[in-house]
């Protein structure tokens, strides 16, 4: 929980430093703009939340879309959001974060030991499922630091 909180705080602080006029045009990772990176993060947040919600309800998590190729999965999600404005992507991101946070507040530590099978077919404890989120935030923070020429 502490790592998740810290990585989120860092990523959001760096988003605030990013020039608003460049959020839809300036690449931050490869050719992804900040808008696209945030949209991707939102989609992963929704996926992680879905798995945790199912576990908390005592269900075996099932996912509608298998992921055979991470790059293709991300590219499809980014393409689906391309026509959205920064404001819409940001609202979706904030809503996904609130949904996750509300769920995670109710999540007993014991449930983090429960296992689920990911959309790419790997079995893992819910704790490791969560590492995807703070890993994504950590990567975004690194990308933003490099793009903004910040050290740290």
């Amino acid at each position: 929980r502490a790592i998740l909180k810290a990585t989120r705080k860092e990523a959001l602080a760096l988003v605030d430093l990013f020039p608003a006029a460049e959020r839809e045009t300036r690449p931050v990772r490869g050719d992804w703009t900040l808008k696209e990176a945030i949209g991707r993060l939102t989609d992963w947040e929704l996926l992680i939340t879905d798995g945790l919600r199912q576990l908390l309800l005592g269900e075996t998590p099932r996912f509608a879309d298998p992921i055979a190729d991470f790059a293709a999965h991300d590219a499809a999600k980014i393409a689906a959001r391309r026509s959205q404005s920064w404001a819409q992507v940001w609202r979706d991101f904030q809503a996904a974060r609130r949904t996750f946070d509300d769920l995670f507040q109710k999540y007993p530590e014991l449930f983090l030991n429960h296992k689920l099978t990911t959309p790419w077919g790997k079995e893992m404890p819910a704790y490791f499922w969560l590492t995807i989120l703070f890993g994504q935030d950590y990567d975004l923070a690194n990308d933003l630091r490099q793009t903004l020429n910040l050290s740290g």
Side-chain angles (χ1 to χ4, degrees):
R1 291 177 195 266
I3 293 170
L4 187 61
K5 183 178 179 180
T7 57
R8 286 178 170 219
K9 182 178 178 181
E10 178 184 25
L12 292 178
L14 290 163
V15 167
D16 286 343
L17 296 176
F18 205 87
E22 298 177 6
R23 291 176 177 164
E24 295 188 53
T25 58
R26 186 176 179 185
V28 296
R29 173 179 272 195
D31 63 347
W32 297 352
T33 64
L34 180 59
K35 179 184 91 167
E36 292 165 338
I38 292 294
R40 175 182 174 266
L41 192 58
T42 302
D43 291 326
W44 277 100
E45 186 108 6
L46 293 169
L47 182 69
I48 300 301
T49 301
D50 184 35
L52 290 177
R53 181 183 302 111
Q54 291 177 63
L55 275 178
L56 191 58
L57 293 172
E59 300 170 359
T60 299
R62 305 253 187 258
F63 302 96
D65 299 317
I67 300 173
D69 178 331
F70 289 105
H73 171 79
D74 287 342
K77 294 293 188 178
I78 286 170
R81 289 185 178 275
R82 197 154 277 139
S83 65
Q84 295 177 338
S85 68
W86 165 259
Q88 180 62 53
V89 169
W90 188 247
R91 278 191 304 274
D92 290 351
F93 173 73
Q94 290 176 318
R97 286 271 157 119
R98 277 190 305 275
T99 300
F100 173 83
D101 289 342
D102 289 347
L103 176 70
F104 199 49
Q105 291 297 325
K106 300 171 191 162
Y107 217 86
E109 290 292 324
L110 179 64
F111 272 87
L112 295 177
N113 292 323
H114 286 92
K115 292 187 177 179
L116 58 90
T117 301
T118 67
W120 51 96
K122 182 176 180 173
E123 187 175 283
M124 65 175 57
Y127 172 78
F128 290 113
W129 184 239
L130 288 173
T131 65
I132 294 168
L133 286 183
F134 54 79
Q136 300 279 354
D137 282 337
Y138 180 80
D139 288 345
L140 177 62
N142 282 334
D143 293 339
L144 290 173
R145 272 196 304 280
Q146 286 181 349
T147 302
L148 296 170
N149 294 316
L150 301 172
S151 60

